[in-house]
Amino acid sequence: MNEALAQAYPKQLEEITEGQYQMLYNFCGLSAADYNAVIGAMRKYIASLVDATDWQKKGVWAWREMAEPFIRKDVRYDFAFHGETPPNKHDQSSG
């Protein structure tokens, strides 16, 4: 995440990093605009990885498996900004 955000969003990166080695990230303090910008930057960075190192692959796995399931559930998430259609609760089957 540091590599993805350091150039374009240094202020937001500083705001979301926690811990001695800045390996923990907390999105709670971000505005809706910053939240969506950071999410977009991360997705763009992940898509740009060609020959990812083992550490980058682990980071991508963590992002996709641990962060992505919660991203769209956040009230700040702007579906239109990310080129998506909001889910329609009435279209979901009950099983």
Side-chain angles (χ1 to χ4, degrees), residues 10-59:
K11 179 181 171 229
Q12 291 81 356
L13 178 61
E14 183 178 333
E15 186 174 342
I16 65 173
T17 53
E18 295 179 350
Q20 182 177 2
Y21 300 103
Q22 295 185 340
M23 297 303 291
L24 301 173
Y25 301 96
N26 182 339
F27 293 76
C28 292
L30 294 178
S31 68
D34 285 345
Y35 178 81
N36 286 286
V38 166
I39 300 303
M42 282 302 301
R43 290 176 174 167
K44 183 177 178 182
Y45 174 75
I46 288 170
S48 75
L49 293 175
V50 177
D51 293 320
T53 65
D54 285 342
W55 280 107
Q56 287 171 325
K57 289 176 186 175
K58 289 176 185 177

Side-chain angles (χ1 to χ4, degrees), residues 35 67-77 79:
Y35 178 81
E68 282 285 349
F70 298 99
I71 288 171
R72 287 175 184 84
K73 294 177 182 178
D74 192 293
V75 296
R76 296 169 294 176
Y77 189 79
F79 286 89

Side-chain angles (χ1 to χ4, degrees), residues 55-68:
W55 280 107
Q56 287 171 325
K57 289 176 186 175
K58 289 176 185 177
V60 169
W61 177 88
W63 177 261
R64 289 184 175 152
E65 298 298 319
M66 299 171 82
E68 282 285 349

